Every structure is written in C-alpha cells, then in structure tokens.
Amino acid sequence: MELVADGGRLNAASLHGLPAQVARPGYDRDALGIGIVHLGLGAFVRAHLAAVNDAAMRAGAGPDWGICGVSLRHADTRDALAPQDGLYALALRDADGSGASRQRLRVIGSLLETRVAPEDPQAVLARIATPGTRIVSITVTEKGYCHDPASGRLNLDHPDIVHDLANPAAPRGVIGFVVHGLQRRRAAGLPAVTVMSLDNLPANGRLLRALVVTFAARVDPALADWIASACTFPCSMVDRIVPRTTDADRREIAAALGVRDAWPVVAEPYLEWVVEDRFAAGRPDWTAGGARFVADAAPFETLKLRMVNGAHSALAYLSVLAGWSTVDEAMAQSGMRRFLGELMRQEIEPTLPPLPGLDVEKYRQGLLLRFANPALRHQTRQIAMDGSQKLPQRLLDTVRDRLAAGAPIPGLALAVAGWLLFLRGQDEAGRVYEIQDPMADALAHRYEQAEQAARQAGEGPAAMLAWAGVMTGFEPVFGDLGQEPRFVRVVGVAAQLLRSLGVAGALSAMYRASAG
C-alpha cells in the first residue's frame, strides 16, 4: 500500500484541522458504545452501513450504536484504520454537467473498533455475546455464506463449515461466528439480537436464517429453536457502486484532506437501502442517512438483483472479453449501452414484481447514467469476480421466469455465454487474466470438457451446442437449467456469435437481427 509522504495522519487529533469543506462527525465519539458487530469489514460496508449509521448518529440516534468491524481473513483494514482511531474519508464522486469529475469528502466516525478474527476469534465471539450488542450485520459477498448457489442450502462439506462445527471456540467462517456467538449469548441469559445480511442474495434474510438454523441444529437443537424463534433476520436491499480503492485514490484524497488516510473509500453519490423493519432489540433511525424501512423487501431485492446486478454482470463479462477495463469505458461503446438498455427493457423488466410508484423507464435511464459515471473508474474485472456465486440470482432466475412465460432470452443468453467464455481466462486480444472464483478449479475442468465435446462434434453450430450442453450442465450453478433444451440451444447460439464475431460484432449482429 502506497501512502503520501507529506502531512500527518487522519485521526481524532487531526479532525479539527481538516479543510472546512470536509464534513466530519458532529457527535462525541468518546461517549459512544458499541451496539453493532459487523462481520466483513470491506469497502462496501464502510461506504454504506457505516456511512448511513454515521448520518443517523449526527441526527441524534443515540450513543449506543457504534460499530465494531470484524475482518474475517486479513489484517490490512485493521492495520490501516486502528492508527486513525477508526476514522476514514468517504469520497463521493461523479461528474458535473460538462463531464468533469468532482468529489465531496466526508469523514466517517461510526466505526469505533476493528478486529481481525483469525488473530483472536474469542474476542469476536465475546463481542457478539456482549450485552450491548443488538445487531450482527454481514457483508461477506455471496461466496462467504458457504451455501450451494443453485439450491440455497448450506454446504455441509464446505471447509469452513466442517472446521467451525469442530472448533466452536475458534470459528473462521461467518456462519460459525454467528452461531457460536449466539450460543454464548443464550448461555449467558442475554436477549436475542438481529442478524442482518447486506449482501446481494435473493431473500438474503431468509436465506441467512435458514443457513444459521441448519448449522445451529448440528451444534444443539435447542439452540436452533431459540435462534429461529427469538432472533430476527430482516431482508434488505442495498445499492451503491463502490469500486476498489487505489493508490491514486489515496493520493488524491490525501491532497484534499491535507493529511494521510491509509484506507479511504470511494463511492458514487447514489445510495439506496430498503430494509424490513424487524429488529429483535431495537435499531437506529437510519432514515436520516437515506434508508427506507418496509414490511417486505422482496420486490426491491428483485429489482436490484435483476436490473442493477444483472446488468452489471452482463456488462462485466462481455467487457473483460472485449478488453474494456472500466465500466465507463464499456458504456462509451454504443453497442454496449444499447445492449444493456434493451436487455433491461425487453427481458428483465417484464419479470419484475409490482412496485407501486416506481417509474421503471426513469429507473433504467438513471441506472445507465450511474454505470457511465467516469469518476469511479470501476474495474470490470472486479465485478467479474465470483461469477459462480452471482449468476443464479443475477441472471438465471430471470432466465427461468422468461422461459416459463415462453418468452425469448437473446440478451440474457449472450450475458450467460459471456461468463462461460470469460472462464477461458483470455480476452479477444490474447491477454491472460486470472479467474477469481471459489469454484475456479471445477470450472476450469468443466471448460476443458466442453472444448473436447465441441471438437468431437465438429464445427459450427453443432460444436457450440455440444459445448453449451457441457457448460450449462454444471449443476452447482445452473441447477436443472442444463436440462432445458431451449436454454442450452440459445446459449450455444450466443457463444457461437461471440466466438465468430467478437463482443462488438455480436452486439451489432443482435441489433441487425432485431431490426430485421
């Protein structure tokens, strides 16, 4: 990690000397207690939950809602933020009317404590079992839930699950920490808490509840019953684009602050958080930071997963293949921009549940503008990570609904074919990249099998149909879709189009076919 050499360090002592235009906490941090334990202290939660919580405390939410952030794998975030008293800058970036980049800086103060689970798992369990803790929240990405993406069931053979069942005093996975922490609360006679997922998973609260209860039943059936009856697991939809922080970001933000910040966060100004108002032990008034409390988050989850995440993934896989490294670069391609607009309008929007008051066309156009934001420099490779965990809810559920309605899926098939060809690990110019996916080895083996099947089938459409049959037969991702001839055929056609014409050519060919 590179830091600027000049200036002091962002911390509590340096807050008073920041430039006037930098917003900062307006509350007494020394008077705060910890009420939230957050597992998975990455950039997203620091740009979303922590920022919303900071706004709530500025608005007088009360002194008991500070956050203890827990890194489940690495010490880098703790090592960066501990010398800064947990303070960091949030840089909100977009472009003005002339297209020039601009940013607003705000120092976030709601993170009071940072811990690294592998260094002291007992301390993390103890924090969950502390009387003041009332919410345990989670952002560990889809792969952190140790479940089967196609079925949603807990993978009892996952190494983290096997380890955590055998090592209750030293878990390493999120499900293990939650269950063993709750076990300590129950044993101490403490009240139940809210366990809240902020990850992009369908019905994330219900999914998390099922995984936790399944694990707990292996530990103690009575514990599982207590969790199921006393703890709450609200579903939520979270939306904010948060690219990975770079050394260039650190330099720019340090120059604006006048002090060094080892780990600032960059995000778009847009933020949405829809959360079910089911909290076992109270909550802050997060509406001050832009949250919306609802009785049922499911329609909003579907909207986000299919429109935002589905379109983002479609863009990412096709762009990596084409060699377009950032989202705004991809959106500058007329074919990509039109493709995403038509994918949403023709294939995704008809599958959305009723959302009274939502102007879908305005939402779609706004989303295209968000993707085109040149100030974020969001890497397509970052979005393309962990596709095996993302495809089922981002694209394949939409595919299932379209097929059930007898509706065509050319754009969805092109996106799926884009991911399958992305697994080759080489773009159209021959540049090699790493496949970052928890199923990378199995997918690489499947890709080799598909290539062999294509060679045996000959050339042209027959070869790509055989190829698509093998690839979509990968049940952990596709479930029973690999047995659906309509799906396999159209994915084969899309893969043939991409292989023969390239990404730009395939997009143009789709529009010519549509016009014809």
Side-chain angles (χ1 to χ4, degrees):
M1 182 190 305
E2 178 185 337
L3 296 175
V4 294
D6 297 328
R9 185 77 173 259
L10 176 64
N11 53 35
S14 65
L15 270 179
H16 70 281
L18 297 180
Q21 66 269 25
V22 178
R24 64 207 79 185
Y27 46 86
D28 183 2
R29 296 181 77 234
D30 292 333
L32 297 180
I34 291 174
I36 302 170
V37 177
H38 186 84
L39 304 177
L41 191 56
F44 181 81
V45 70
R46 293 195 290 126
H48 198 281
L49 171 64
V52 172
N53 203 52
D54 179 81
M57 289 195 290
R58 291 187 194 194
D64 301 325
W65 292 110
I67 299 173
C68 168
V70 180
S71 296
L72 293 176
R73 292 288 185 264
H74 306 294
D76 48 5
T77 302
R78 188 275 315 274
D79 292 348
L81 297 183
Q84 300 181 181
D85 303 313
L87 297 169
Y88 61 91
L90 171 62
L92 301 181
R93 292 179 176 173
D94 62 357
D96 62 20
S98 66
S101 295
R102 60 186 177 183
Q103 76 174 6
R104 288 180 286 123
L105 289 175
R106 169 180 161 194
V107 175
I108 304 300
S110 61
L111 183 63
L112 302 185
E113 181 178 283
T114 54
R115 294 193 176 274
V116 182
E119 292 181 0
D120 193 353
Q122 289 283 338
V124 177
L125 293 171
R127 177 55 77 183
I128 294 174
T130 296
T133 296
R134 289 185 273 172
I135 296 172
V136 177
S137 53
I138 299 167
T139 50
V140 289
T141 74
E142 296 88 342
K143 66 183 176 184
Y145 289 80
C146 303
H147 71 305
D148 178 71
S151 69
R153 290 189 292 270
L154 184 67
N155 179 3
L156 292 168
D157 296 323
H158 191 285
D160 283 359
I161 299 300
V162 173
H163 174 275
D164 292 355
L165 284 170
N167 297 275
R172 64 189 185 196
V174 67
I175 304 299
F177 271 110
V178 168
V179 172
H180 294 307
L182 293 178
Q183 185 180 33
R184 292 189 178 202
R185 289 191 71 86
R186 180 171 177 265
L190 294 173
V193 297
T194 298
V195 186
M196 181 175 63
S197 169
L198 302 178
D199 282 302
N200 290 316
L201 292 160
N204 54 11
R206 288 190 290 276
L207 173 68
L208 177 59
R209 180 181 185 273
L211 300 177
V212 166
V213 170
T214 298
F215 185 101
R218 297 291 180 118
V219 175
D220 177 3
L223 172 65
D225 291 342
W226 178 77
I227 291 172
S229 61
C231 294
T232 56
F233 295 79
C235 295
S236 66
M237 180 274 276
V238 294
D239 191 6
R240 170 169 264 178
I241 296 173
V242 183
R244 183 179 289 114
T245 303
T246 67
D247 286 337
D249 295 326
R250 292 185 181 90
R251 288 191 294 270
E252 291 175 26
I253 291 168
L257 291 174
V259 293
R260 295 179 297 154
D261 182 351
W263 212 302
V265 182
V266 175
E268 63 174 336
Y270 181 94
L271 180 146
E272 189 167 18
W273 184 14
V274 178
V275 58
E276 293 174 350
D277 200 0
R278 297 188 295 107
F279 288 79
R283 58 162 175 80
D285 182 10
W286 285 318
T287 59
R292 181 172 15 156
F293 293 101
V294 298
D296 180 12
F300 301 95
E301 289 178 344
T302 302
L303 173 72
K304 164 72 185 326
L305 285 168
R306 297 190 179 190
M307 291 285 279
V308 182
N309 299 124
H312 231 184
S313 286
L315 177 149
Y317 298 120
L318 293 170
S319 296
V320 173
L321 285 176
W324 304 327
S325 61
T326 63
V327 174
D328 60 298
E329 179 186 357
M331 291 298 292
Q333 315 296 322
S334 60
M336 176 60 76
R337 191 178 182 96
R338 180 177 176 184
F339 166 71
L340 290 182
E342 293 303 302
L343 173 67
M344 289 188 280
R345 185 179 68 84
Q346 295 187 23
E347 300 180 42
I348 298 177
E349 289 173 18
T351 74
L352 297 177
L355 279 160
L358 177 71
D359 184 332
V360 180
E361 182 172 354
K362 183 178 179 181
Y363 184 89
R364 180 194 338 122
Q365 295 301 329
L367 182 54
L368 293 172
L369 288 174
R370 290 172 61 197
F371 286 176
N373 184 347
L376 292 180
R377 302 189 291 268
H378 199 182
Q379 299 292 311
T380 54
R381 286 277 305 282
Q382 180 187 353
I383 304 166
M385 292 170 57
D386 303 331
S388 69
Q389 312 298 299
K390 296 174 178 177
L391 242 68
Q393 59 267 13
R394 294 188 176 198
L395 293 171
L396 301 185
D397 284 346
T398 312
V399 166
R400 286 187 170 88
D401 285 353
R402 293 285 289 174
L403 292 176
I409 56 167
L412 290 164
L414 194 75
V416 172
W419 177 63
L420 295 176
L421 291 170
F422 161 85
L423 295 174
R424 180 187 178 194
Q426 183 174 311
D427 69 13
E428 293 175 355
R431 292 180 290 258
V432 175
Y433 49 82
E434 180 186 1
I435 302 299
Q436 295 179 283
D437 193 292
M439 295 185 178
D441 291 342
L443 290 167
H445 179 63
R446 177 65 61 151
Y447 196 93
E448 291 175 3
Q449 291 178 318
E451 290 290 297
Q452 182 178 1
R455 288 192 294 270
Q456 292 174 346
E459 297 181 357
M464 291 315 297
L465 180 61
W467 183 90
V470 174
M471 293 303 296
T472 59
F474 188 66
E475 289 188 7
V477 172
F478 292 98
D480 60 357
L481 270 177
Q483 307 303 314
E484 171 54 70
R486 292 175 297 169
F487 175 66
V488 177
R489 180 184 59 80
V490 73
V491 169
V493 170
Q496 174 67 21
L497 203 61
L498 288 168
R499 280 197 166 179
S500 60
L501 300 179
V503 172
L507 295 177
S508 296
M510 283 188 67
Y511 301 139
R512 287 198 299 271
S514 175

